Amino acid sequence: MFRDLFQKKKKYATIPSQRWSNEPASDDEQPQERPKREIPEGLMNKCSKCGTIHYSKELEKNLKVCSNCGYHMRLNAIERIVMTVDEGKFTEMDAGLESIDPLNFPGYAQKLEQQKMNSGLRDAVITGQGEIDGHPVMLAVMSFDFFSGSMGSVVGEKITRAIEAADEGGLPLIMFSTSGGARMQESIISLMQMAKTSAALARYQENGGLYISVITDPTMGGVSASFAMLGDIIIAEPGALFGFAGRIVIEQTIRQKLPDNFQTAEFNLEHGQLDMVTHRKDMKSMLGDLLDYHTGKGGF
């Protein structure tokens, strides 16, 4: 009886996890891990707000807006231009302007080269003339993926030249802003761009030019404190964060808890800092309507 209880257990064959046939494995064969399937890079994207996984192609069809929560993901300058301008109707200006290291700031020159390689851009803004619903316009489109959209001497110079070109050509001016603020590696030179762009806008608007400012996520610091908030019409995408100082800095300064939606587009609209909040899919048609109204071809 006890002998039966303690008798030697039978051996059972182990089928390796990578085996797909019904062939028996030998007793001494060791189990192996199933080979991993390689997923092509960029096939899927995750919404940073709600965590929903999207196929990249489907996300692009939806203009990089999350279909689950409506979060407007960041676009680079090239993507924004393609979505906004009539096909084949954009001519870039000042494409050869590049930032240098005027103050010999440690590591800045190397970081500039790295940013160029990573983003495919020469700086944080693309400017040029294009058409929106057949209306000639001057455009300045910022890109957060180059040095967090920071405004250095080249960004300020390109925007100023775009403003002056719009003034000379009698064209409406549309600027899409996204920025972390002034580029501190250029110190006072970057801060001077706030006054430089604001002065150019003042001359342009005195001459009757129409400036439409479009705020995208995020727009902070010196950009929000200069040209981004000087538009005749100021529009923002849903949920876009914009303001001057960050939330933590303000809370520490005033020693008060701020509302959860503080500095969002919706909060700023409610407090009179915006004219409208417009979904990305409606942005081009809204700009077209505003240009129709400006030229006397249509109305609301």
Side-chain angles (χ1 to χ4, degrees):
M1 176 180 177
F2 291 104
R3 184 178 301 175
D4 295 335
L5 290 174
F6 292 101
Q7 67 180 355
K8 189 176 181 181
K9 295 181 179 179
K10 296 181 179 179
K11 292 183 179 180
Y12 293 92
T14 301
I15 300 176
S17 58
Q18 86 279 12
R19 188 185 295 271
W20 293 96
S21 67
N22 292 323
E23 297 177 5
S26 61
D27 292 342
D28 58 350
E29 188 172 1
Q30 298 297 321
Q32 299 181 14
E33 294 183 359
R34 183 189 298 273
K36 296 180 179 179
R37 296 182 180 181
E38 293 185 1
I39 299 177
E41 186 177 353
L43 179 65
M44 295 182 175
N45 278 279
K46 182 179 179 180
C47 175
S48 58
K49 185 174 181 181
C50 70
T52 301
I53 304 297
H54 302 274
Y55 282 107
S56 297
K57 289 185 178 180
E58 293 299 319
L59 192 60
E60 289 174 5
K61 290 179 182 178
N62 204 36
L63 305 181
K64 287 196 172 180
V65 176
C66 178
S67 57
N68 183 57
C69 68
Y71 176 65
H72 284 51
M73 302 178 188
R74 292 172 186 169
L75 301 174
N76 62 39
I78 296 173
E79 290 172 326
R80 182 77 63 180
I81 291 169
V82 169
M83 290 182 187
T84 307
V85 179
D86 297 345
E87 187 175 357
K89 297 295 184 179
F90 181 77
T91 303
E92 186 176 1
M93 294 171 46
D94 302 313
L97 292 186
E98 298 184 25
S99 291
I100 58 174
D101 186 10
L103 305 179
N104 294 319
F105 193 93
Y108 182 43
Q110 292 78 12
K111 287 182 179 179
L112 282 172
E113 293 304 316
Q114 184 180 12
Q115 292 294 319
K116 292 174 188 176
M117 290 180 59
N118 293 343
S119 67
L121 303 174
R122 293 190 174 184
D123 219 296
V125 69
I126 293 178
T127 59
Q129 184 173 338
E131 292 185 12
I132 297 177
D133 287 349
H135 295 281
V137 295
M138 187 63 60
L139 285 164
V141 183
M142 300 192 73
S143 197
F144 197 81
D145 59 353
F146 188 100
F147 243 118
S148 299
S150 54
M151 180 168 62
S153 56
V154 166
V155 170
E157 178 65 18
K158 292 181 73 171
I159 288 175
T160 300
R161 291 188 185 188
I163 296 168
E164 292 173 344
D167 195 10
E168 293 172 5
L171 296 174
L173 172 68
I174 300 174
M175 288 201 273
F176 288 84
S177 300
T178 178
S179 177
R183 190 174 301 172
M184 299 316 297
Q185 289 87 346
E186 296 185 22
S187 188
I188 190 64
I189 297 175
S190 66
L191 296 177
M192 288 170 58
Q193 308 310 311
M194 297 171 62
K196 179 178 176 178
T197 54
S198 298
L201 275 173
R203 292 191 296 268
Y204 170 73
Q205 289 170 321
E206 286 173 1
N207 293 333
L210 172 67
Y211 168 37
I212 301 174
S213 177
V214 183
I215 307 290
T216 69
D217 183 64
T219 300
M220 304 295 291
V223 170
S224 70
S226 56
F227 62 84
M229 295 304 294
L230 295 177
D232 298 299
I233 301 170
I234 305 176
I235 309 172
E237 288 189 331
L241 186 72
F242 74 96
F244 182 64
R247 180 191 189 92
I248 295 176
V249 173
I250 297 173
E251 287 185 335
Q252 290 176 344
T253 302
I254 66 175
R255 299 182 180 180
Q256 293 181 23
K257 179 69 176 177
L258 296 169
D260 292 338
N261 66 341
F262 180 68
Q263 291 183 324
T264 62
E266 292 75 16
F267 179 90
N268 282 290
L269 178 65
E270 183 180 346
H271 290 80
Q273 300 298 307
L274 287 174
D275 294 300
M276 64 186 79
V277 175
T278 303
H279 195 283
R280 186 173 291 167
K281 65 181 176 61
D282 301 320
M283 186 64 71
K284 182 177 180 179
S285 61
M286 174 57 72
L287 293 174
D289 289 342
L290 291 172
L291 294 169
D292 281 342
Y293 184 77
H294 176 66
T295 57
K297 296 181 179 179
F300 295 96

